[in-house]
Amino acid sequence: MPLRSDDIFVVTFPKSGTTWTQELVWLIGNDFNYEKAAAKLLTERFPFLEGSLFFNGEKAKKALLDSCNGDVVKMKILEEMSKPGYEVVEKLPSPRYIKSHLPLSLLPPSLLDTTKVVYVARDPRDVAVSYFHHNRLFTLGGFTGDFEQFWESFHKDMLDWTPYFEHLKEAWDKRNHPNMLFIFYEDLLKDLPEAVRRVAKFLNKPVNDEQLERLCNHLNFHNFKNNKSVNNEPMREFGFLAENESFIRKGKAGGWRDYFDEKMAAQAQRWIDDNLRGTDLRLPQKN
């Protein structure tokens, strides 16, 4: 995949604050053009590099075609969604904004020497909870189990994009590279204005107090949840989203405590300790 020197990637393990960060990065990079952001879906402004993989399996293709029910417009949309990400981004004007959940080792080898990368990490227990709801939201996946079943698959590295800690540690090892900005989702929640300043400095984009205040208000969870350009609602028109789940959910840290019983919490802590042993990586939130 050919890279350009002004490309900007947002790379995360799924459900680590990706969408929130994409909107933040795009608006800073595009001089706070809220009108354009509202008029164009985030998925178009900031395409998902490997997203087409979800639409090219045989079962997925059948479900997609059935959902179109002969609607020519819908079929055209699905045709676009099925195109390989590298073909989609190749046609984008510079600077390109690209999202990926792939670990650095599965992205172009020259990525950090060529482009800027914002990597967002999050407590894996909260990631697991959010990922659980995400899999219940997208009906194409066919997941119908409970959280305990999902957690078993998550911490045993049996889900898409796992193993979680290898993903995280690859990025952590590159955190001091001048083209890498490594941030924790919990830090975004704790002090969004400071996080905005860090991103703006990383992108070499000045930001004044008025711009900072407006962007933080735009990213306020209530406003963000109701922002139609970021919440994946077009997928609902195809019948791919469960009615009782939402794409933008709660936007908080520590919610995992409502899902883990004592045994699961102890198991999770051992898993975290085992994977962080021998590293200087520490999660920002204590259990």
Side-chain angles (χ1 to χ4, degrees):
M1 174 181 163
L3 298 171
R4 303 175 194 168
S5 60
D6 55 0
D7 287 342
I8 298 170
F9 279 70
V10 166
V11 179
T12 71
F13 189 88
K15 312 313 296 177
S16 297
T18 319
T19 306
W20 208 32
T21 307
Q22 285 177 264
E23 184 78 345
L24 186 163
V25 167
W26 191 91
L27 281 165
I28 292 175
N30 286 272
D31 302 316
F32 306 96
N33 191 338
Y34 292 95
E35 292 73 23
K36 185 175 180 180
K40 198 169 185 180
L41 294 175
L42 183 62
T43 49
E44 297 177 58
R45 292 182 275 127
F46 218 127
F48 182 16
L49 184 60
E50 67 271 24
S52 64
L53 296 177
F54 288 103
F55 303 101
N56 283 301
E58 290 307 313
K59 288 184 179 179
K61 284 181 179 178
K62 184 180 186 307
L64 293 168
L65 288 173
D66 289 347
S67 71
C68 290
N69 199 26
D71 187 313
V72 177
V73 175
K74 283 187 175 182
M75 291 181 74
K76 182 65 177 176
I77 293 172
L78 288 176
E79 182 183 335
E80 290 299 312
M81 291 166 67
S82 300
K83 288 183 178 178
Y86 61 86
E87 289 185 5
V88 174
V89 300
E90 186 179 22
K91 297 175 182 177
L92 293 178
S94 294
R96 301 182 300 182
Y97 295 82
I98 302 169
K99 159 192 166 181
S100 179
H101 291 317
L102 294 172
L104 295 181
S105 56
L106 291 180
L107 288 167
S110 62
L111 184 70
L112 282 176
D113 293 329
T114 309
T115 74
K116 287 186 178 293
V117 177
V118 178
Y119 186 95
V120 189
R122 186 183 188 186
D123 188 309
R125 294 164 292 196
D126 279 327
V127 169
V129 170
S130 186
Y131 205 7
F132 164 68
H133 284 283
H134 184 83
N135 275 271
R136 295 210 308 183
L137 169 67
F138 283 90
T139 55
L140 270 180
F143 177 75
T144 57
D146 60 21
F147 178 70
E148 187 171 359
Q149 291 171 313
F150 189 84
W151 167 248
E152 277 295 301
S153 296
F154 181 85
H155 88 273
K156 289 181 178 177
D157 301 328
M158 297 167 66
L159 299 175
D160 295 328
W161 294 289
T162 57
Y164 172 83
F165 274 107
E166 277 67 16
H167 199 298
L168 189 64
K169 287 187 282 191
E170 282 185 15
W172 180 254
D173 287 345
K174 299 291 187 181
R175 69 191 182 281
N176 294 321
H177 193 290
N179 282 338
M180 164 74 86
L181 178 62
F182 186 107
I183 54 179
F184 282 101
Y185 177 69
E186 289 81 0
D187 291 339
L188 286 166
L189 290 172
K190 183 179 179 181
D191 192 343
L192 183 57
E194 176 58 25
V196 169
R197 291 189 191 98
R198 285 185 66 194
V199 173
K201 181 179 180 181
F202 179 67
L203 298 180
N204 300 314
K205 290 282 188 176
V207 55
N208 60 40
D209 290 344
E210 183 180 347
Q211 291 168 329
L212 180 66
E213 182 178 359
R214 184 178 180 185
L215 181 56
C216 288
N217 182 61
H218 176 79
L219 295 172
N220 172 276
F221 180 73
H222 175 75
N223 295 333
F224 197 64
K225 190 177 178 69
N226 291 291
N227 182 343
K228 292 183 179 180
S229 75
V230 303
N231 61 20
N232 245 323
E233 282 305 301
M235 294 290 284
R236 203 174 293 280
E237 296 177 19
F238 288 91
F240 299 155
L241 302 185
E243 290 300 323
N244 59 340
E245 296 281 351
S246 58
F247 184 69
I248 307 296
R249 214 171 56 84
K250 291 190 175 181
K252 68 175 187 177
W256 63 267
R257 294 179 177 86
D258 298 329
Y259 290 78
F260 285 71
D261 60 25
E262 189 174 333
K263 179 182 176 183
M264 292 166 65
Q267 179 190 54
Q269 190 60 59
R270 287 194 301 273
W271 176 66
I272 291 170
D273 292 343
D274 287 346
N275 279 280
L276 295 185
R277 190 172 293 116
T279 77
D280 58 356
L281 171 61
R282 295 296 177 267
L283 301 178
Q285 183 173 327
K286 297 179 181 178
N287 67 345

